[in-house]
Amino acid sequence: MLDQITSVTDPRTSIIKDDPVRPNIAIEHRINDRAGIYLWTEEDKILAAVCVSLCEAVPDSEVSMLLPQEGDKTVAVAYTIWSYSSGAARKLIFAVRDQLPTSIKKMVTLSPQTEMARRFHQSNGATLIRENPDTWNFEYSLEDCVNRNPGPRCEAA
């Protein structure tokens, strides 16, 4: 089940210590008016987590993603994802995608340049759209609703 941490005081924020990609990003940058931490849970157990930031454009680095954004936030950027259970990260990335508001025009990643990141995103149907000096941007289609989650983009199955 998709869940979201909406407060920096939520005790579940302790999971950021497990972030394998960007543990350096402060909690205030992860949870605010344009960023959130989403969880895949089953029986109240956290099985996966992803941090998403809303941006004006596809960022090419962590620095550009964290800069203040003054225009319309039309790009959802999944910038780190980790899992405690096989298959949970896949469920989570699609559940988050399916719940994005229709004002979001793109869902991309800001991935490390690793084979693990490439395999994960490409095996889930994402397309590599840009190679940056230190990161890759993969794009997920906003047209398909894999999990058929009721939400702005998808109707219940």
Side-chain angles (χ1 to χ4, degrees):
M1 157 188 271
L2 182 65
D3 195 5
Q4 183 178 5
I5 299 175
T6 58
S7 169
V8 297
T9 61
D10 187 316
R12 298 175 299 170
T13 61
S14 65
I15 64 164
I16 66 171
K17 72 182 178 341
D18 297 333
D19 180 344
V21 180
R22 296 194 167 81
N24 57 298
I25 295 180
I27 191 68
E28 294 79 16
H29 288 293
R30 294 173 190 258
I31 303 171
N32 57 53
D33 63 339
R34 69 176 191 98
I37 300 174
Y38 296 87
L39 308 172
W40 187 260
T41 64
E42 292 178 9
E43 298 176 10
D44 295 325
K45 183 176 181 184
I46 297 171
L47 300 183
V50 64
C51 296
V52 178
S53 184
L54 303 181
C55 297
E56 302 166 335
V58 177
D60 62 0
S61 68
E62 185 178 307
V63 170
S64 66
M65 179 186 69
L66 295 176
L67 288 173
Q69 306 280 314
E70 296 179 14
D72 293 338
K73 283 57 162 198
T74 60
V75 179
V77 182
Y79 62 88
T80 186
I81 188 166
W82 66 99
S83 180
Y84 304 101
S85 175
S86 180
R90 175 184 167 81
K91 291 176 184 176
L92 177 58
I93 200 81
F94 288 125
V96 168
R97 192 247 349 239
D98 294 352
Q99 293 293 320
L100 291 172
T102 55
S103 60
I104 299 298
K105 304 304 179 200
K106 283 183 178 269
M107 180 177 171
V108 301
T109 71
L110 187 67
S111 299
Q113 292 182 347
T114 65
E115 229 10 75
M116 179 184 286
R118 180 190 299 274
R119 274 193 315 271
F120 174 78
H121 294 300
Q122 289 181 332
S123 72
N124 289 316
T127 304
L128 180 63
I129 60 167
R130 188 167 66 195
E131 294 187 41
N132 307 304
D134 299 312
T135 62
W136 286 328
N137 298 118
F138 291 91
E139 183 172 5
Y140 282 85
S141 169
L142 294 179
E143 302 303 314
D144 302 327
C145 290
V146 173
N147 293 324
R148 297 285 178 215
N149 291 305
R153 293 196 176 274
C154 303
E155 298 296 324

